[in-house]
Amino acid sequence: MKLAVVGGGSTYTPELIDGFARLRDTLPITELVLVDPAADRLELVGGLARRIFAKQGHDGRIVTTGSLDEGVEGADAVLLQLRVGGQAAREQDETWPLECGCVGQETTGAGGLAKALRTVPVVLDIAERVRRTSPDAWIIDFTNPVGIVTRALLQAGHKAVGLCNVAIGFQRKFARLLDVAPSDVHLDHVGLNHLTWETAVRLGGPEGENVLPRLLAEHGDAVADDLRLPRAVVDSLGVVPSYYLRYFYAHDEVVRELGSKPSRAAEVAAMEKELLALYGDPALDEKPALLGKRGGAFYSEAAVDLAAGLLGGGGSPYQVVNTYNNGTLPFLPDDAVVEVQAAVGAQGASPLPVAPVDPLYAGLIAHVTAYEDLALEAALRGGRDRVFKALLAHPLVGQYAYADGLTDRLIAHNREHLEWA
């Protein structure tokens, strides 16, 4: 089995490698190709990857290359983990929206739109090249904004599924609080990427007992603290929102916070320098503890689970993924991309039925879906007017004066990545 990781020079990659090594019975990889144009980073990451495999007794071959076509040729699955523009672009995404009093974040709001505009054309080019060299390969997208990028891939006819680590993070957290095995926890997870709610926590599977009321009663303080929301808000909702919902539920508070401290991008950039120095140590043969602060917790387990399911091997029968709605949420178009539990197999991901969604959540889901429609149109066709309309439609922007100012800033900061600009 051959897998290719595009963006293999990422400091995230050792987390993925560790999962591939530990879970080799679930996903028996014979060749793993790390693809990245940044040769210096790639060799540091590739060297550590080989040492991790060797220490854990994995006999798979690890190859590094700067050639996309060579890397993906003959692959059974291609995992995308790109950051077009690097941490410098992320720094901009997180800062210039604050000049207009809006949240600066790399996956939602104005910064998220900027990332989508930079990313979608690049991902579609990669996918076309995968289709030419390996037409049967699955594309697993971990590249943000996952919902918009996955929708672009699916609309272009690619065999693609989107993946995020939010759901598996909640699964592991809830399992620890409930003192059960993670595999015993099934989430009723509903919404869009980075706009989701856990509406039930079931033990044993989709039909299992819903223990969410007990979880909130006994551990509500811990859940609320992790979300950085008041306990009273979580109790009132009676569900567990993704931590990304804080950008919506406490917008002004978040804007004040973001304006008073260094950006997350600056923190990550400093952390990456330290990680790359560690990766260059020939004695290091395991992922360093510092990587746990980088983000992407349980990313490797989720990736292995999904790849194994799509390639007809092991993997959990039900997994939270990003895929076409196809009637799952009846208030959305069929070609919207939703993030829900799905049965995963060699034919792809088939969403499980979802209980009727409360209007409090359905309204916001529909609102952001409309924004994503416009964002994808802007990413595919360009133009200032399309960017403006997408920003005006986003609930974190929503005022014409803000949208107008943000449009000019977005274009100015991303001109080198936007052919039409």
Side-chain angles (χ1 to χ4, degrees):
M1 180 185 296
K2 176 179 177 178
L3 264 67
V5 179
V6 180
S10 168
T11 53
Y12 270 136
T13 299
E15 163 69 24
L16 187 63
I17 299 299
D18 178 72
F20 286 159
R22 288 185 293 101
L23 303 172
R24 54 187 175 275
D25 291 339
T26 303
L27 190 68
I29 299 170
T30 54
E31 183 177 0
L32 177 64
V33 184
L34 305 181
V35 183
D36 204 298
D40 51 345
R41 293 170 60 105
L42 184 60
E43 286 313 307
L44 291 174
V45 173
L48 175 56
R50 294 185 185 98
R51 296 192 296 273
I52 291 173
F53 263 32
K55 180 180 183 180
Q56 299 198 27
H58 196 303
D59 59 4
R61 176 174 175 246
I62 294 180
V63 177
T64 58
T65 180
S67 170
L68 176 67
D69 293 333
E70 291 179 8
V72 302
E73 184 175 6
D76 296 288
V78 177
L79 197 152
L80 306 181
Q81 52 173 34
L82 311 177
R83 185 180 296 282
V84 179
Q87 292 297 333
R90 177 180 181 173
E91 169 78 15
Q92 294 177 354
D93 294 344
E94 293 179 348
T95 52
W96 55 260
L98 296 173
E99 298 170 6
C100 295
C102 295
V103 162
Q105 212 278 332
E106 65 158 345
T107 66
T108 190
L113 177 60
K115 194 171 197 300
L117 297 182
R118 294 192 304 270
T119 304
V120 166
V122 174
V123 166
L124 289 178
D125 176 67
I126 291 170
E128 285 299 329
R129 292 162 72 177
V130 171
R131 180 150 54 189
R132 288 198 298 269
T133 59
S134 306
D136 294 326
W138 280 100
I139 295 176
I140 298 173
D141 178 58
F142 198 72
T143 297
N144 282 317
V146 168
I148 294 172
V149 172
T150 301
R151 186 169 179 179
L153 289 165
L154 291 172
Q155 287 188 353
H158 298 289
K159 292 176 60 177
V161 180
L163 180 65
C164 181
N165 69 324
V166 167
I168 194 172
F170 275 132
Q171 181 201 43
R172 300 304 172 88
K173 190 182 308 293
F174 296 161
R176 187 168 63 252
L177 293 173
L178 295 166
D179 195 24
V180 299
S183 59
D184 290 336
V185 175
H186 178 94
L187 303 177
D188 285 11
H189 177 104
V190 62
L192 311 176
N193 179 243
H194 290 185
L195 193 86
T196 52
W197 295 261
E198 311 308 324
T199 59
V201 178
R202 303 185 184 278
L203 296 183
E207 305 302 324
E209 175 193 4
N210 178 20
V211 297
L212 179 57
R214 173 162 67 89
L215 178 73
L216 291 179
E218 296 177 0
H219 304 286
D221 286 342
V223 172
D225 287 348
D226 191 57
L227 298 172
R228 299 186 64 201
L229 289 172
R231 168 74 185 267
V233 172
V234 178
D235 287 341
S236 175
L237 294 175
V239 302
V240 179
S242 160
Y243 43 85
Y244 286 93
L245 265 298
R246 186 167 181 263
Y247 295 116
F248 297 82
Y249 293 163
H251 175 275
D252 293 353
E253 178 183 345
V254 171
V255 169
R256 288 193 294 271
E257 285 179 6
L258 294 175
S260 65
K261 62 181 183 179
S263 69
R264 173 62 177 166
E267 295 175 358
V268 170
M271 199 179 303
E272 286 198 328
K273 289 182 179 179
E274 189 173 349
L275 284 169
L276 289 170
L278 292 171
Y279 295 171
D281 180 357
L284 183 68
D285 57 6
E286 61 186 12
K287 63 178 184 180
L290 179 62
L291 187 55
K293 299 179 181 180
R294 173 67 177 79
F298 309 115
Y299 158 44
S300 59
E301 285 90 340
V304 168
D305 223 16
L306 180 54
L310 294 172
L311 297 176
S316 305
Y318 307 114
Q319 301 175 39
V320 173
V321 299
N322 286 261
T323 191
Y324 269 151
N325 178 46
N326 283 337
T328 306
L329 302 182
F331 54 90
L332 296 184
D334 284 349
D335 66 350
V337 165
V338 295
E339 187 172 288
V340 294
Q341 286 277 5
V344 176
Q347 300 306 310
S350 300
L352 301 183
V354 172
V357 179
D358 188 294
L360 180 60
Y361 318 125
L364 188 52
I365 292 170
H367 193 162
V368 175
T369 297
Y371 151 76
E372 290 190 347
D373 290 346
L374 295 167
L376 182 54
E377 182 76 1
L380 294 173
R381 300 179 62 192
R384 187 189 188 282
D385 189 54
R386 293 187 182 92
V387 173
F388 171 80
K389 288 178 179 177
L391 287 168
L392 187 61
H394 201 294
L396 293 180
V397 180
Q399 298 184 51
Y400 72 84
Y402 287 173
D404 194 56
L406 289 168
T407 298
D408 290 335
R409 286 170 171 80
L410 186 156
I411 294 171
H413 284 285
N414 291 275
R415 198 175 300 277
E416 66 181 293
H417 301 290
L418 306 176
E419 288 187 4
W420 52 267

